[in-house]
Amino acid sequence: MKRPLLAGLSLLLCLLSAAAQAQTAASLDAKFSCSLTRQEDGDGERLTYADQARIQLAGTQILTLQWESSLFRSSHGHECSIDSSDEPIAEVTEKGWRISLKDAPAARQRRGYDTERGSQCSIRLERDGEQLRIKPSCPSLCGSRNNFSALTVNLKTGVCQYDE
């Protein structure tokens, strides 16, 4: 009678351990600040990308979300930003998370943007070990810029790499 009880307890402990690991895998605590200056191919103009963010997720719960993504040219700058006041929604995906907005046009209107940018906002966060790949498609929260910066951040070192 002791063996079935021990086997049952052992199975229960394994299941609890697996659940704890799954919960850890579905959480994210990222904070980064990066910038990059590069020459534009066509006219040789210098472009500076600057991004700073704080993203904390626990499964589908958004604990903290703040990201400002800027693109500066010699004569002007363009920005995109998202935070918790934009009513973001997170879903867990096979590779990480997808953040979208409850109502993208309303979020854009609250920011006071006067040009049409569409109602699309999706930011994919794909984690591979210490690497977090950020793949945005969110023109609705950008001023005169087309999109947020696509980049990869090393969560341990904070080093960023911008996509081409």
Side-chain angles (χ1 to χ4, degrees):
M1 190 146 192
K2 287 185 181 180
R3 283 188 182 185
L5 180 59
L6 288 175
L9 283 175
S10 179
L11 178 62
L12 179 61
L13 288 174
C14 286
L15 291 173
L16 288 174
S17 175
Q21 289 174 352
Q23 186 176 10
T24 302
S27 66
L28 176 68
D29 188 359
K31 183 177 182 178
F32 60 89
S33 178
C34 10
S35 64
L36 170 74
T37 300
R38 66 169 67 143
Q39 294 293 122
E40 184 72 13
D41 291 335
D43 57 8
E45 182 178 26
R46 286 175 39 153
L47 302 176
T48 300
Y49 296 85
D51 289 86
Q52 67 174 11
R54 178 78 171 136
I55 304 169
Q56 292 179 296
L57 304 172
T60 60
Q61 185 180 9
I62 298 174
L63 305 173
T64 304
L65 176 64
Q66 180 273 323
W67 180 18
E68 297 203 17
S69 183
S70 301
L71 171 62
F72 299 103
R73 297 179 181 276
S74 57
S75 61
H76 58 285
H78 304 286
E79 87 298 330
C80 301
S81 65
I82 185 170
D83 61 40
S84 298
S85 71
D86 296 311
E87 299 181 315
I89 301 166
E91 63 183 89
V92 177
T93 66
E94 191 174 295
K95 295 181 179 182
W97 297 266
R98 178 181 175 269
I99 296 176
S100 58
L101 299 179
K102 181 178 177 183
D103 186 348
R108 183 168 178 77
Q109 185 177 17
R110 280 192 301 274
R111 288 182 180 270
Y113 292 130
D114 57 359
T115 56
E116 177 59 35
R117 280 269 181 243
S119 60
Q120 183 181 4
C121 184
S122 173
I123 300 170
R124 295 197 179 273
L125 305 169
E126 297 177 353
R127 187 167 185 177
D128 183 13
E130 293 299 327
Q131 299 293 321
L132 178 65
R133 180 132 193 245
I134 303 170
K135 300 164 69 173
S137 179
C138 187
S140 62
L141 290 184
C142 296
S144 55
R145 186 176 177 195
N146 290 333
N147 203 354
F148 287 75
S149 298
L151 58 121
T152 300
V153 179
N154 183 303
L155 297 172
K156 193 172 191 174
T157 65
V159 173
C160 302
Q161 180 180 353
Y162 285 88
D163 293 357
E164 290 291 324

